[in-house]
Amino acid sequence: MDCEYLSVVFALLLVGVQVGFTYDVKSFITWDDMKVDLPRERISTRDDGCRVIVVDKNGGGDSVTVQGAVDMVPASNTQRVKIFVLPGIYREKVLVPRSKPYISFIGEESRVADTIITWHDKASDIDINGHKLGTANSASVTIESDYFCATGITFQNTVKAVAGASEMQAAALRIYGDRVMFYKVRVLGTQDTLLDLAGTHYFYQCHIEGNVDFIAGNGKSLYQECNLHSVAESSGAIAAQQRFSPDQNTGFSFVNCQVTGTGNILLGRPWGNFSRMIYSNCYFNNIIDPQGWSDWRDPKRQKGPGADRGGRVSWSKSLSYEDAKPFLNTNFINGEQWLKL
C-alpha cells in the first residue's frame, strides 16, 4: 500500500465501528501491507512510509511480546502499522482492539511454522472473577480491528479437546473485525479453532486444523485455496456457521480448498436455523461422513448446500454453477470495496 496518505479524512460508519471514528480515504488492503523489506537488523524504522514495529522474543526488537507491539500503536490511528514478528514461540494472549485499525502481523513466509502465537485457555477455565471464560474468551488471539491483515504467522491453542468432551472449546483465533485478510497463516487447535464471528474476511492459502466445528461463527468469509485439516480421532465436523435469519447476508464459502486429515467428519453443522456453507471445486480426502451434514438434532436446520449427493442426507442440495457463482470469488465478500490485490 502507498502509505503517504491524503490529509483529508472522513468519518465512515461501519457495522461494529463507533460513531465518529475516522478512516483514511485509502481504506483497503494490498499485498504491500503484508511485506516488510527491511533487513532484520534494522528496527524502529519505517518501510515505504509505514511504521514498522519489530517483535523479537530475544530482545533484539522494539518489543519482546506481540501484545507489547500492539500496545505501541496509538488509538484511532489512520495509517497502517506493520508489526514484524521474528521467528519464535510467543506464549501470550493477544488482543488487537477495535480502536486500532490498519494493523499488519507479518512473519517470514518461509518460517510460518516457527513463528507461533500460542496459549492454552478453554471454555471451562475460570477467570479472575470466578466465572467460566466461555468459548469466545478462550481465544489465544482476538482481532477486533478493521482492515487487519496477517501473513507468515501461526495462531495456536494447545488444548487437546476430544469429540463429546464438555466445555473443551478452545479457540486459537477469534475475529470480530471487518474487512480482514489472512494470507498463508496457520490456525491450529481442536474444537472451535477459528471463531469467524462477524465481519467480512478473506482467507487465502491458509492452513486451518481442528476436530469439531473448527471453523465457527457468523462471518461472511471466503476461504480460497485453503487446507482444512482434520485431527479428529473418531467423529468431527469442519464448520458450524451461525446465520440466524434469511435476511443476514453471511456464510462460509470454501473454494478450491483441500480437506485432509483423519477421522470421520461432517462437512458442517448448522449453528443457526439459516446456516450457509458452500463447498465449490474442493478436494475431499476419504474422511467425510457419507451423510455429509448434521442438523444438530433440530429438523428446522435442514438447510444448506452439499457437493456430492451420493450418501448425503436427503435435505442437502447440490448446486449448479449458476447457483454457486455468487460464492466463487471475492465478490461474495464485496472485495472490490476493500481488496487491491
Side-chain angles (χ1 to χ4, degrees):
M1 176 188 283
D2 178 5
C3 294
E4 293 188 4
Y5 291 93
L6 299 176
S7 59
V8 179
V9 296
F10 61 94
L12 176 62
L13 179 60
L14 295 172
V15 175
V17 179
Q18 61 266 43
V19 175
F21 195 94
T22 54
Y23 277 144
D24 189 88
V25 292
K26 293 184 179 178
S27 293
F28 48 77
I29 293 173
T30 74
W31 289 121
D32 285 342
D33 294 332
M34 291 176 278
K35 296 177 181 177
V36 173
D37 296 325
L38 301 173
R40 185 181 296 183
E41 63 271 17
R42 286 182 59 193
I43 61 175
S44 302
T45 188
R46 301 175 73 85
D47 172 47
D48 296 331
C50 292
R51 184 182 182 188
V52 177
I53 300 172
V54 178
V55 180
D56 181 358
K57 64 171 297 187
N58 298 314
D62 303 294
S63 175
V64 295
T65 66
V66 178
Q67 187 63 58
V70 173
D71 293 344
M72 294 172 66
V73 179
S76 303
N77 55 297
T78 58
Q79 296 189 17
R80 181 156 298 278
V81 178
K82 298 178 178 181
I83 296 178
F84 184 40
V85 185
L86 296 183
I89 299 176
Y90 297 86
R91 303 185 191 278
E92 55 178 310
K93 286 183 73 116
V94 175
L95 168 65
V96 182
R98 191 178 307 281
S99 61
K100 298 184 179 185
Y102 307 117
I103 287 179
S104 303
F105 281 6
I106 303 172
E108 297 178 33
E109 183 179 314
S110 63
R111 302 198 63 184
V112 60
D114 302 318
T115 310
I116 304 170
I117 306 172
T118 181
W119 199 245
H120 48 72
D121 280 344
K122 59 184 181 297
S124 58
D125 287 343
I126 305 301
D127 65 18
I128 59 174
N129 298 314
H131 303 127
K132 290 182 180 179
L133 286 177
T135 304
N137 291 325
S138 72
S140 301
V141 178
T142 295
I143 307 299
E144 297 178 350
S145 165
D146 295 345
Y147 297 97
F148 175 91
C149 58
T151 187
I153 305 287
T154 295
F155 304 94
Q156 181 185 55
N157 190 311
T158 57
V159 171
K160 302 299 182 185
V162 297
S166 177
E167 298 185 289
M168 290 292 288
Q169 297 90 341
L173 179 62
R174 173 178 61 158
I175 312 166
Y176 284 115
D178 192 32
R179 303 187 177 194
V180 170
M181 179 175 177
F182 295 89
Y183 171 58
K184 290 190 175 180
V185 305
R186 301 193 311 156
V187 191
L188 310 181
T190 47
Q191 185 169 356
D192 291 7
T193 303
L194 170 57
L195 292 180
D196 186 351
L197 292 178
T200 51
H201 312 136
Y202 184 33
F203 296 84
Y204 183 48
Q205 297 184 357
C206 298
H207 176 96
I208 305 160
E209 73 176 40
N211 59 11
V212 179
D213 304 334
F214 58 92
I215 301 173
N218 198 21
K220 182 180 182 181
S221 300
L222 174 64
Y223 295 80
Q224 189 170 23
E225 297 181 23
C226 293
N227 186 31
L228 313 178
H229 187 74
S230 168
V231 294
E233 295 180 2
S234 55
S235 61
I238 297 171
Q241 209 276 335
Q242 201 182 14
R243 186 166 170 247
F244 297 112
S245 76
D247 298 327
Q248 284 192 311
N249 190 17
T250 62
F252 297 157
S253 178
F254 303 99
V255 179
N256 296 329
C257 294
Q258 293 195 36
V259 178
T260 61
T262 59
N264 183 56
I265 63 169
L266 296 161
L267 294 169
R269 305 196 297 169
W271 193 356
N273 287 350
F274 295 87
S275 174
R276 184 162 62 179
M277 294 168 272
I278 304 97
Y279 291 84
S280 307
N281 301 322
C282 293
Y283 171 83
F284 298 94
N285 206 344
N286 191 25
I287 60 172
I288 303 299
D289 187 300
Q291 294 188 92
W293 307 89
S294 164
D295 63 10
W296 228 322
R297 298 182 296 279
D298 184 349
K300 294 192 301 294
R301 298 179 177 184
Q302 292 182 4
K303 304 173 184 293
D308 182 358
R309 293 296 301 275
R312 292 287 187 257
V313 292
S314 62
W315 43 267
S316 68
K317 181 181 179 184
S318 181
L319 300 182
S320 69
Y321 172 75
E322 289 302 318
D323 292 333
K325 189 175 179 180
F327 306 98
L328 293 179
N329 54 47
T330 56
N331 291 335
F332 172 58
I333 54 173
N334 303 318
E336 72 283 355
Q337 300 177 13
W338 60 280
L339 292 170
K340 305 290 185 181
L341 304 176

